[in-house]
């Protein structure tokens, strides 16, 4: 069985004030841990500054399954899983919006006249709407004065601790707060696996799709998540004109990734998630290469 340590602590700061904790529990890798190791962990994990004194008391080693799942691993043992769709000239991502146009700006044949014999290049020209393929929404997508792609922090969309919420569309289209309750969500990328990507590139994909409810969005905001993704055409119910989930999440600077794929490949926890778009000024949405990193 795994070992955990239970203890009380009292921390005093050099500029006055302090914090206390009772019955705090922590996963440990061995059968014991010193007071100094606990102090070092608290200061580092809580990112505390100007710590004057830390006291550990009532320390007890208990046998209990670990609550945290370690996602640290060496690069050679990591596995990368692509959870984004491929973009091509026939892709209709949103009903009524155009497919991208991909053509030559400089063809290989034309480039041969510009370079030495045997040297050629290809430069493509791409025309598309920003909401194409698997894409990320920033606050500017919904709010005029919200942060755009050039302003959102990398810490909001890269190397995030991930959790998958299973919400099979065959059982329920409405994903309410009950799907998220009792889960460790704070600071995480919450990826909702509905299985709706099964209908990708079909007319069914656009109609009667799974969605997150407004009440669930409020709960996600309260829990302090970093990002919410879904493998469906929209995170909101599109049967009407209101978009309460976009409104609440983006108002709280919680980013959204729509049109994910392949989330059945991921465990419920124990992975890192990234979805990085180009750094465009004045743009609120753009395609991403969304990846999960598994140890």
């Amino acid at each position: 069985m795994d070992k955990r340590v239970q203890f009380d602590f009292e921390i005093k700061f050099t500029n006055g004030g302090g914090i206390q904790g009772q019955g705090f529990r922590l996963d440990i890798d061995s059968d014991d841990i010193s007071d100094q190791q606990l102090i070092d962990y608290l200061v580092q994990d809580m990112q505390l500054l100007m710590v004057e004194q830390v006291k550990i008391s009532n320390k007890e080693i208990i046998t209990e399954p670990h609550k945290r799942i370690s996602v640290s691993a060496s690069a050679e043992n990591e596995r990368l899983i692509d959870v984004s769709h491929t973009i091509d000239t026939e892709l209709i991502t949103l009903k009524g919006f155009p497919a991208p146009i991909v053509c030559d700006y400089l063809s290989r044949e034309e480039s041969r006249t510009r370079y030495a014999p045997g040297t050629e290049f290809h430069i493509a020209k791409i025309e598309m709407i920003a909401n194409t393929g698997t894409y990320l929404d920033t606050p500017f997508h919904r709010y005029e004065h919200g942060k755009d792609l050039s302003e959102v922090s990398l810490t909001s969309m890269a190397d995030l601790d991930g959790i998958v919420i299973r919400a099979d569309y065959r059982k329920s289209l409405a994903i309410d707060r009950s799907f998220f309750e009792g889960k460790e969500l704070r600071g995480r990328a919450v990826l909702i696996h509905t299985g709706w990507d099964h209908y990708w590139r079909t007319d069914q994909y656009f109609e009667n799709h799974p969605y997150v409810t407004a009440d669930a969005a409020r709960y996600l905001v309260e829990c302090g998540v970093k990002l919410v993704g879904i493998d469906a055409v929209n995170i909101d119910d599109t049967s009407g004109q209101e978009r309460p989930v976009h409104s609440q999440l983006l108002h709280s600077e919680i980013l959204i990734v729509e049109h994910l794929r392949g989330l059945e490949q991921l465990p419920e926890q124990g992975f890192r998630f990234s979805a990085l778009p180009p750094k465009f000024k004045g743009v609120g949405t753009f395609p991403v290469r969304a990846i999960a990193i598994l140890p």
Side-chain angles (χ1 to χ4, degrees):
M1 290 289 291
D2 296 328
K3 297 293 184 180
R4 308 186 77 208
V5 59
Q6 178 175 295
F7 60 99
D8 301 339
F9 66 85
E10 181 180 355
I11 300 175
K12 294 182 179 179
F13 299 102
T14 57
N15 60 346
I19 56 176
Q20 297 179 343
Q22 287 79 41
F24 192 86
R25 292 192 179 189
L26 174 69
D27 300 339
I28 57 176
D29 296 326
S30 60
D31 292 334
D32 200 2
I33 186 171
S34 69
D35 287 1
Q36 187 58 52
Q37 287 175 306
L38 286 178
I39 292 171
D40 293 342
Y41 174 85
L42 287 173
V43 173
Q44 180 180 359
D45 197 58
M46 299 172 71
Q47 300 182 12
L48 302 178
L49 301 175
M50 296 184 288
V51 174
E52 176 183 347
Q53 185 182 51
V54 182
K55 290 183 179 180
I56 304 294
S57 59
N58 300 322
K59 186 174 68 175
E60 177 185 2
I61 305 299
I62 59 177
T63 300
E64 187 176 75
H66 283 180
K67 302 300 182 184
R68 287 191 176 187
I69 297 178
S70 175
V71 296
S72 61
S74 58
E76 61 269 22
N77 292 326
E78 290 178 343
R79 184 161 62 101
L80 276 65
I81 297 179
D82 190 337
V83 290
S84 52
H85 288 288
T86 299
I87 298 173
D88 59 41
T89 55
E90 298 179 353
L91 176 63
I92 300 294
T93 303
L94 298 174
K95 191 173 183 179
F97 288 82
I101 299 173
V102 183
C103 58
D104 293 340
Y105 176 77
L106 180 67
S107 69
R108 296 187 185 280
E109 289 183 358
E110 292 171 329
S111 77
R112 292 169 193 159
T113 65
R114 304 189 180 193
Y115 302 100
T119 302
E120 62 181 46
F121 295 94
H122 176 262
I123 299 177
K125 180 180 179 180
I126 302 171
E127 179 181 323
M128 67 179 186
I129 63 169
N131 294 51
T132 296
T134 303
Y135 54 77
L136 177 135
D137 291 343
T138 68
F140 185 75
H141 177 52
R142 172 66 178 82
Y143 297 103
E144 180 181 1
H145 300 295
K147 291 181 179 178
D148 64 19
L149 291 168
S150 70
E151 296 168 324
V152 292
S153 168
L154 284 174
T155 58
S156 299
M157 55 187 173
D159 197 32
L160 303 177
D161 185 16
I163 181 171
V164 174
I165 303 297
R166 309 292 181 191
D168 190 337
Y169 75 87
R170 292 166 294 188
K171 298 179 180 178
S172 175
L173 293 179
I175 305 166
D176 60 28
R177 66 182 290 157
S178 67
F179 285 87
F180 306 100
E181 290 176 334
K183 307 286 187 180
E184 184 58 54
L185 303 177
R186 186 166 299 277
R188 291 177 128 179
V190 179
L191 308 183
I192 305 168
H193 173 216
T194 71
W196 196 252
D197 56 324
H198 170 75
Y199 294 111
W200 178 249
R201 306 194 89 153
T202 70
D203 290 339
Q204 177 63 47
Y205 186 73
F206 306 113
E207 308 296 337
N208 201 30
H209 60 83
Y211 61 90
V212 175
T213 66
D215 185 50
R218 283 192 292 272
Y219 184 75
L220 291 169
V221 170
E222 292 169 0
C223 289
V225 306
K226 281 285 187 73
L227 176 150
V228 182
I230 192 168
D231 58 356
V233 65
N234 203 299
I235 201 167
D236 265 298
D237 180 2
T238 57
S239 62
Q241 301 303 312
E242 294 183 352
R243 298 293 183 267
V245 180
H246 276 85
S247 298
Q248 292 184 74
L249 296 183
L250 296 179
H251 183 268
S252 298
E253 299 191 351
I254 297 169
L255 305 183
I256 299 170
V257 179
E258 293 169 318
H259 311 281
L260 288 166
R261 59 167 292 276
L263 296 182
E264 71 278 355
Q265 302 173 82
L266 305 185
E268 291 189 2
Q269 302 184 72
F271 65 92
R272 311 294 292 181
F273 178 77
S274 296
L276 294 171
K279 197 175 180 181
F280 274 113
K281 186 68 179 174
V283 179
T285 298
F286 207 79
V288 294
R289 189 72 177 264
I291 61 168
I293 304 176
L294 279 67

